[in-house]
Amino acid sequence: MPSWTDTVRFAFQPVVNLTTGGVAALEILARPESGDILGQARRDPELDGLLAALAIRAAARRETMLPLHVNVFAGTLADLGRLAALRDAVREAGRLPWEVTIDIGPPYTHVPHHALLEAVSTVRSEGFRICADGVGDGDVPLRLLTDLAPELVKLDVSLLTRPAAVRAMRTLCEQLGALLSVEGVETELQCAAAVSAGAQMAQGELFAPPARLPVADVYVPALSPAVAAAPRSGPSVRQFVRPAALLPATASAGLVRALLTGSPAVSGVLLVDPSGIPVRSVHRSRFLLSMSGPYGHALYADRPAAKLGDPPRTVGVDATAWEVLDVVADGERDRTSDDVAVVDHYGRCVGVVRLADLVRALSESRVEEAAGLNPLTRLPGSDAITGEVDRRIADGQTFVLSWLDVDHFKQVNDGAGFAAGDELIRAVGRTLQHAASGTTRVGHIGGDDFLVLADPETLGPLAGAVLDSPWSAGGRPVTLSLATVLCAPGSVTDHRQAAACLAPLKQAAKALSGASWVLGRAGLPGHEVLRGSGAERAQAG
């Protein structure tokens, strides 16, 4: 009688990096030909663990070098002993644990959370990576999700119709140090929505359907990466990581040559010690050039490949793209095209980044940023500020949003001339830039209107710098008006509501004489006059 294992086949679906356009990993999907084996596995941890082990063995037979994602129900992982088969399969396949990501799937109901977290801690210490799967379409509690601290979060594609939820999840991922992926992407519009919301990874029929044979060539629409949503210090290196070609430090030159000639897309090989820590870096072109020279193969084929390698260049998984560029710039000039190894907190290699990917993405980011700058002041426009407002709202931060403009600016232009008016606007912009500190963002939204986004404690010195300065245009004295709304967590839902709260405050500031400043609080009536009309901190309203 045939075993149930004879009725299960496995398919591979690429997990695509939306920044590099390359395949980051392969998810192995069980495809039963009959029966409800997956339903049984949901109820039977031993069966589920065996399916995970069979998935790894199926990948080993296909000789794929890509990192793997294997699905495990949360209840199975909580019963840690049931994963012994998976560990054995990874070892027998010659895989390193950190080349395997465990996709933890629902249901989470009735799963003992303490046991699950202990199990995650154990498999993570062994090197396995953790992914929270099916978020948005499952029952994973938000508190448990943060406690899991996964390296990757996979969202159901249905959440793309709720972009605020996706942006909030991106913010959470940034806090956890995780990447965000969207599953089930079928159209280019869905792909564009995923990128716009800040997702760095995706998978679905659009890129490549599940197939019996692993594929490395996928279709990725021409999209600008979501670098603009990254922190001001630069995009995280995590979104540029490509799979690394790893071999033991003792590998022979002949073995490395076989790998390179059989895998044209591999740009280099990292030689790692038994713990997975890079010890030598082998560059494709330099290595093959040495091997192809006179007597090269005879001299080197059986010798350690490490003798033809270089010390590896590494960055931590928490580094930014700019820090990678610093590593490249500080190195030897003839190694600028070498891959840079990305290592985890234990020093183990989790992938590589290529200089070309970084330069392309950062250049696109600069072009997009430049396109949004006001040509007069070279300050960003409203889109950059409102996008940051939405991120702070999603992150639950308290912030102040201010609108600054020149009083009676049309009369200034008519009386002093547009050239004097332009110079005044440039001077105000420079003063705002110089006074901005910390996380303060300054934008010029056109004409004489400026936006300032800041933490409450940093706005006072900036306000003083612009309101206390003597302004003039063509010899005519000029005053400025400042309106500020304080937004506490939960007081506004998005930048549109914050702007709506700011509008009447601007009118109140303009109604005062001289340099003026009024402060209101989102969701509360009235405002406080901080400057103008000779009223010192009087209540209006």
Side-chain angles (χ1 to χ4, degrees), residues 237-386:
V237 73
R238 294 172 187 264
Q239 67 190 74
F240 300 97
V241 173
R242 289 177 177 266
L246 304 178
L247 285 176
T250 56
S252 68
L255 182 59
V256 171
R257 181 178 183 275
L259 189 157
L260 292 175
T261 54
S263 306
V266 173
S267 55
V269 176
L270 286 172
L271 304 178
V272 298
D273 69 11
S275 299
I277 298 174
V279 294
R280 300 294 282 179
S281 173
V282 178
H283 183 267
R284 179 187 189 90
S285 298
R286 293 198 300 274
F287 175 83
L288 292 179
L289 184 63
S290 298
M291 291 290 288
S292 62
Y295 311 111
H297 188 272
L299 286 173
Y300 297 115
D302 296 325
R303 299 181 66 185
K307 293 184 177 297
L308 295 176
D310 299 288
R313 295 185 299 183
T314 63
V315 295
V317 73
D318 296 323
T320 67
W322 295 111
E323 290 174 300
V324 179
L325 293 183
D326 289 340
V327 170
V328 174
D330 291 341
E332 300 172 29
R333 187 170 300 179
D334 62 348
R335 295 189 62 195
T336 54
S337 62
D338 287 20
D339 293 341
V340 176
V342 180
V343 298
D344 64 12
H345 301 294
Y346 297 97
R348 303 176 301 209
C349 180
V350 298
V352 296
V353 290
R354 295 180 181 175
L355 179 62
D357 290 336
L358 299 183
V359 172
R360 179 171 57 252
L362 294 175
S363 297
E364 290 172 353
S365 174
R366 292 298 191 191
V367 169
E368 291 176 3
E369 180 182 342
L373 297 181
N374 186 285
L376 186 62
T377 59
R378 308 304 294 167
L379 288 171
S382 60
D383 286 348
I385 303 299
T386 56

Side-chain angles (χ1 to χ4, degrees), residues 505 508 512 517-521 525-541:
L505 299 175
L512 302 173
W517 183 13
V518 301
L519 170 69
R521 290 167 175 79
H527 60 267
E528 186 177 356
V529 177
L530 302 181
R531 294 187 185 223
S533 285
E536 189 70 21
R537 299 184 182 277
Q539 285 290 332

Side-chain angles (χ1 to χ4, degrees), residues 118-298:
E118 281 191 348
V120 165
S121 177
T122 299
V123 296
R124 180 176 274 139
S125 68
E126 295 172 359
F128 290 95
R129 303 173 70 75
I130 300 299
C131 166
D133 200 0
V135 175
D137 193 40
D139 61 346
V140 55
L142 190 58
R143 184 176 65 182
L144 176 62
L145 180 61
T146 57
D147 289 342
L148 286 174
E151 284 79 20
L152 180 67
V153 172
K154 289 186 178 181
L155 296 185
D156 186 79
V157 71
S158 62
L159 275 189
L160 292 180
T161 61
R162 301 166 177 83
V166 182
R167 287 195 296 269
M169 190 57 64
R170 165 65 190 260
T171 301
L172 176 61
C173 286
E174 288 177 355
Q175 297 295 320
L176 297 176
L179 292 180
L180 183 64
S181 182
V182 177
E183 295 183 290
V185 175
E186 297 181 351
T187 68
E188 293 194 10
L189 285 177
Q190 289 176 334
C191 185
V195 173
S196 177
Q200 298 108 336
M201 318 287 280
Q203 60 189 107
E205 296 279 342
L206 174 67
F207 312 106
R212 293 290 176 83
L213 295 177
V215 297
D217 294 326
V218 294
Y219 169 74
V220 181
L223 297 168
S224 296
V227 174
R232 295 181 70 191
S233 57
S236 169
V237 73
R238 294 172 187 264
Q239 67 190 74
F240 300 97
V241 173
R242 289 177 177 266
L246 304 178
L247 285 176
T250 56
S252 68
L255 182 59
V256 171
R257 181 178 183 275
L259 189 157
L260 292 175
T261 54
S263 306
V266 173
S267 55
V269 176
L270 286 172
L271 304 178
V272 298
D273 69 11
S275 299
I277 298 174
V279 294
R280 300 294 282 179
S281 173
V282 178
H283 183 267
R284 179 187 189 90
S285 298
R286 293 198 300 274
F287 175 83
L288 292 179
L289 184 63
S290 298
M291 291 290 288
S292 62
Y295 311 111
H297 188 272

